[in-house]
Amino acid sequence: MKVVLVNPFQVRRVARKGRIYNRTWTPLDLATTAAVLREQGHDVAIVDANAEQLTAEQTAARARGFDQAYLTSTSLDRWQCPYLDLDPFVDHVKAVAAVVPEIFVMGSHGTVRPAEMLALTGAKAVLRGEPEGTVPELAARRPLADVAGITWAGPDGAVHNPDRKLLKLDALPMPAFDLLPMHLYSYEVMGRNFCLFEMSRGCASDCTFCLLEQYGDGVRRKSVSRLAAEIETAVMRYGVRKAYFIDLEFTVLRKQAMELCDWLIAKNYDFEWCCQTRFDLVDDELLAKMQAAKCTLIHFGVEAGSDAMLARVEKGITMAGIREGMAKVKKTGIRTACFLMIGFPESTPQDMDDILSFARELKPDYPLFHIAAPYPGTRMYEQVRAEQEKPSPEARFSDASLFPEAVENRHFKLHDLKRITRQAYLRYYTRPTYLASRLVKGDFGNLLHQARLFWQFVTA
């Protein structure tokens, strides 16, 4: 069987709908799926149209001659925060369907809205959840009715097969890095020669706005020995020098994080990395170990600027806890990127002032202001949907599409939320004190790239 896995090109650096950054990051789930297929004897290729910036027609030309094509609407780095504009994805599906006999689609969109994505794409089946166990069964031509974790078109409408059991990460082979354009991946705050890795899948938290359907329940871990082998291969064979551990809460597995740091310290590669975690999941000992292992940046979710709003979205942390965690990180000199959300269903003008004030107080190196998207599959989405059924709803979706862009209420319309977000970026990043601090810290090549991306965002 000749199988091609496709990561479609999102076209714009900053998507107009949702204003999501379209970064050129490793489609790690496609690489692990390809490795499983290859172990089973299939002829497999990956077309990372997003990294190579291929049009739908160019992607189709590369897919011609394959028996099956699997297109993802969200590779691993976007499972939690999927693109809201589905047009580029659908364009690629239609173009590839013209030259490949069997088309399957996967990703977060199909996981939470499988029947709708089946109708939208005309695919043979929609894969729900992680792909590495499902794709090989479909490639082996098992009857659709016997494949767990898919939705397909039966004679009487969409058929939803039972969910698939979650994978054990140590059962997966090493990602097929050789099938990826490894020289093209980068992260504007770290640089080139970049790659994604994962030590775990899932999240121990339960925030109302987080889309976790693609991950399943709980947190699953990959052993340090398996992860170390992947890192060593990427560093020694593919020249990777920068990385992002894409785990949702990297340090929730504290013992494992410490073990990985010890291995990195012993190896002492020319290799810097970043991760994402919570402020209440770091401590002085762990941070010191991470710094020694060349962690240079940590991403944190701050989300709101008051204890009341943090409680409403069930963040599970207080402002005092965030302040305490930030102080610990700053002592190490590790840079910080903080996610701050604009436009929760209950947001008032005071909430907007609070989040901007809290950002200025915390002084992260990179505050990332985002409009809160009501992703289907989240409790925030269900909250707004229930509210809209009332005679006089307090909150409503900003549009009637399958994946709405934002939540509007009596205080804010979508254009207000976009204006506030744009102003937040301008006011924070153009302050003379901030600009001076970035110039002092330095890497001017990365600073130029960051400035270009910043300008594209505020003008989107």
Side-chain angles (χ1 to χ4, degrees), residues 101-172:
E102 295 184 6
I103 300 293
F104 301 87
V105 299
M106 54 195 187
S108 294
H109 303 89
T111 296
V112 298
R113 288 290 184 267
E116 293 86 346
M117 291 300 290
L118 188 68
L120 182 65
T121 61
K124 186 171 182 177
V126 172
L127 284 66
R128 308 191 311 270
E130 55 194 356
E132 293 96 340
T134 310
V135 172
E137 290 192 14
L138 292 168
R141 291 286 174 79
R142 288 193 65 187
L144 294 183
D146 296 340
V147 179
I150 68 169
T151 294
W152 52 285
D156 300 317
V159 178
H160 305 285
N161 288 2
D163 291 339
R164 176 172 292 276
K165 291 183 179 179
L166 296 176
L167 293 162
K168 294 183 178 179
L169 298 188
D170 273 355
L172 293 174

Side-chain angles (χ1 to χ4, degrees), residues 187 189 279 296-300 302 326 329-340 358-369 425 428-431 433-442 447 450 454:
Y187 184 15
V189 295
F279 279 116
T296 59
L297 171 67
I298 305 176
H299 303 72
F300 293 98
V302 173
M326 178 63 93
V329 179
K330 286 193 173 185
K331 283 194 300 184
T332 69
I334 296 174
R335 291 175 296 160
T336 55
C338 289
F339 304 111
L340 303 118
F358 200 28
R360 289 191 292 271
E361 176 191 338
L362 293 173
K363 295 183 176 65
D365 293 279
Y366 309 108
L368 305 169
F369 300 97
Y425 272 104
Y428 193 95
Y429 282 95
T430 60
R431 291 175 300 138
T433 53
Y434 178 81
L435 293 171
S437 70
R438 298 308 307 146
L439 289 171
V440 167
K441 290 181 180 179
L447 284 175
Q450 293 164 33
F454 167 77

Side-chain angles (χ1 to χ4, degrees), residues 60-79:
R62 294 270 289 273
R64 188 183 299 273
F66 286 87
D67 303 307
Q68 290 183 339
Y70 296 81
L71 294 93
T72 183
S73 64
T74 49
S75 57
L76 179 60
D77 63 285
R78 295 244 64 99
W79 282 6

Side-chain angles (χ1 to χ4, degrees), residues 206-222:
D206 192 27
C207 305
T208 64
F209 52 85
C210 280
L211 179 56
L212 300 176
E213 293 293 318
Q214 187 91 359
Y215 299 89
D217 295 330
V219 178
R220 290 166 288 150
R221 66 186 67 195
K222 180 184 294 183

Side-chain angles (χ1 to χ4, degrees), residues 87-107:
D87 288 345
F89 169 70
V90 173
D91 289 345
H92 278 72
V93 172
K94 290 179 178 178
V96 174
V99 299
V100 177
E102 295 184 6
I103 300 293
F104 301 87
V105 299
M106 54 195 187

Side-chain angles (χ1 to χ4, degrees), residues 168-189:
K168 294 183 178 179
L169 298 188
D170 273 355
L172 293 174
M174 183 177 298
F177 294 125
D178 60 300
L179 298 181
L180 296 173
M182 295 293 287
H183 63 290
L184 294 180
Y185 301 116
S186 66
Y187 184 15
E188 68 276 3
V189 295

